[in-house]
Amino acid sequence: MPRQTRARIDLNALRGNFRLARELAPGTHSMAVVKADGYGHGLEAVAQALTQETDCLAVATLEEAQRIRQVGLSPEVVLLEGVHEPSDWRLVVEGRFQPVLHSLHQLEGVDCVPGNGAVPVWVKCNTGMNRLGLDAEGVETMVLRIRETPGLEVAGLMTHYACADDTADAMTGEQARRMRAISREFPGLPVSAANSAAHFHGNESHFDWTRPGIMLYGGTPLIGRRGPDLDLRPVMKLESRVIAVRTLAPGETVGYGATWTAEQPTRMGIVEIGYGDGYPRHAPNGTPVAVDGCRCELIGRVSMDMIAVSLEACPQAGVGSSVELWGETVSVDEVAQLSGTISYELLTAVSPRVPRLHESGEEA
Ligand SMILES: *Cc1c(COP(=O)(O)O)cnc(C)c1O
């Protein structure tokens, strides 16, 4: 029998989360962000499901954009980091992608673009993130250069928020104000600014095109919250099974480093998943793990291929019992918080060893 460790992907929940994003930002358009293999959920299946809801997707790399075309999908595809080499322009034209330009050097090689206004490009504005983007004067130069380049047209202006994960942080409002000031110089150009987190701020931060990512996958974009608190549905269920059971006597320890010691006789199960599958090695003792639907606790260190779980909360569990590492019963945000990280990292780190099973299920 093949290993029973896998990630079930609920594509209806994905589409439901997209619709919630739309409701939170009325009057806007949305590009659904599917970079990093659809945040670990499988790019092709996620792209396919989301193109039923929107005709614009966003990715980080040319390779990701090409994978969307290779399965025969024809949405608009925005390249969030644009082009890196002059030769990338030919691939942009072939794939009809929309690069985001953050620097004049990216225009090298653009002369291979056929001169019929074919390629829409976005201009990245730096409003305080200080990662990619041009300041106000740089934006002006860039827009002029694009407008005088045959074959290019300006699709819009883009910026990115640094602190939107905290709805009380004043920086989002300040960045929105700077973006508004820049865009006043370019009447008619649409603006894209809102990541998932900004959907939970007021509409002054939404602008014309939103870019929801993590919320589509059911993870919280807001610190200190969990997806279900925000009415987001979990999309990935990471599951495995119990492959061995033993009872520890008081004083016995579990696993590498002997970091957990039984205080009383403890029935425990070994589960066939570990950090080699992307389960976080930093998950501490007590991290919830659902066995046969009841919440049990991780004990001892996470190994590469296995973890140990106390079965004291689930006496009927045994070899073959089903295990949910995250999904409906245990929120991926809860595991992330306990492990000192964010669901973005856990979801994108599920390793290629874990098969993704895509399911459309019943409409909720
Ligand atoms: C990843 C990314 C997003 C989506 O961010 P979330 O926090 O996942 O919603 C939006 N815009 C840009 C430029 C990104 O890189």
Side-chain angles (χ1 to χ4, degrees):
M1 193 173 185
R3 197 158 180 260
Q4 295 295 295
T5 299
R6 56 205 164 189
R8 288 185 189 277
I9 309 298
D10 180 349
L11 297 172
N12 268 331
L14 176 77
R15 286 191 291 262
N17 291 337
F18 181 84
R19 282 181 229 128
L20 178 62
R22 302 293 309 124
E23 284 166 30
L24 290 170
T28 63
H29 303 275
S30 292
M31 50 182 90
V33 182
V34 299
K35 63 192 179 185
D37 200 30
Y39 286 51
H41 293 65
L43 173 60
E44 288 80 0
V46 160
Q48 172 105 56
L50 287 171
T51 49
Q52 296 169 24
E53 307 289 331
T54 175
D55 54 12
C56 189
L57 305 178
V59 295
T61 71
L62 255 173
E63 289 77 4
E64 291 166 338
Q66 288 170 326
R67 280 170 61 190
I68 293 172
R69 292 287 181 252
Q70 277 154 14
V71 291
L73 298 172
S74 49
E76 289 164 21
V77 179
V78 174
L79 294 170
L80 292 171
E81 290 160 33
V83 293
H84 303 290
E85 308 284 335
S87 59
D88 288 347
W89 280 105
R90 200 177 42 78
L91 305 173
V92 163
V93 172
E94 264 172 32
R96 290 165 293 110
F97 305 135
Q98 302 188 4
V100 179
L101 302 183
H102 55 84
S103 166
L104 287 173
H105 82 260
Q106 292 176 296
L107 288 171
E108 277 169 48
V110 78
D111 19 306
C112 79
V113 173
N116 55 2
V119 181
V121 300
W122 293 82
V123 176
K124 186 71 174 268
C125 311
N126 179 26
T127 54
M129 178 74 170
N130 287 316
R131 196 172 58 176
L132 297 179
L134 298 147
D135 58 18
E137 293 99 89
V139 173
E140 205 163 325
T141 314
M142 178 69 99
V143 169
L144 283 175
R145 286 284 302 279
I146 294 168
R147 286 185 168 155
E148 67 197 28
T149 304
L152 296 190
E153 64 191 23
V154 187
L157 305 175
M158 188 178 287
T159 195
H160 196 54
Y161 294 125
C163 300
D165 59 345
D166 179 355
T167 51
D169 196 306
M171 187 156 178
T172 307
E174 178 56 23
Q175 286 190 267
R177 198 190 57 71
R178 290 182 195 154
M179 188 63 241
R180 204 159 276 117
I182 295 174
S183 80
R184 262 197 292 274
E185 305 298 315
F186 307 97
L189 279 189
V191 171
S192 174
N195 54 2
S196 296
H199 287 70
F200 298 90
H201 293 240
N203 63 7
E204 333 67 68
S205 64
H206 294 165
F207 293 92
D208 308 301
W209 278 87
T210 62
R211 302 190 306 273
I214 192 68
M215 69 183 299
L216 306 180
Y217 309 94
T220 178
L222 302 181
I223 46 172
R225 307 294 294 277
R226 294 178 190 161
D229 308 339
L230 304 172
D231 291 328
L232 298 169
R233 290 162 63 188
V235 174
M236 181 188 292
K237 179 183 179 196
L238 182 62
E239 62 177 30
S240 185
R241 68 176 165 185
V242 175
I243 56 169
V245 169
R246 74 171 61 242
T247 299
L248 298 171
E252 287 191 298
T253 63
V254 179
Y256 287 120
T259 60
W260 189 86
T261 307
E263 272 160 22
Q264 58 223 9
T266 304
R267 195 159 166 272
M268 54 160 270
I270 299 297
V271 179
E272 61 173 346
I273 192 165
Y275 64 78
D277 302 291
Y279 190 78
R281 186 173 172 280
H282 288 102
N285 285 323
T287 300
V289 174
V291 180
D292 284 341
C294 49
R295 283 164 64 100
C296 296
E297 294 190 349
L298 179 75
I299 55 176
R301 268 199 199 143
V302 172
S303 300
M304 187 185 292
D305 313 303
M306 285 176 270
I307 58 172
V309 177
S310 166
L311 298 178
E312 291 299 302
C314 189
Q316 74 279 14
V319 170
S321 284
S322 67
V323 174
E324 175 194 297
L325 290 309
W326 56 69
E328 294 276 351
T329 310
V330 175
S331 161
V332 64
D333 292 312
E334 189 176 2
V335 179
Q337 281 153 13
L338 288 165
S339 307
T341 184
I342 51 179
S343 54
Y344 297 74
E345 186 181 21
L346 296 191
L347 294 172
T348 57
V350 173
S351 79
R353 180 163 86 177
V354 179
R356 271 65 165 178
L357 264 60
H358 296 98
E359 297 166 346
S360 285
E362 291 302 307
E363 208 51 87

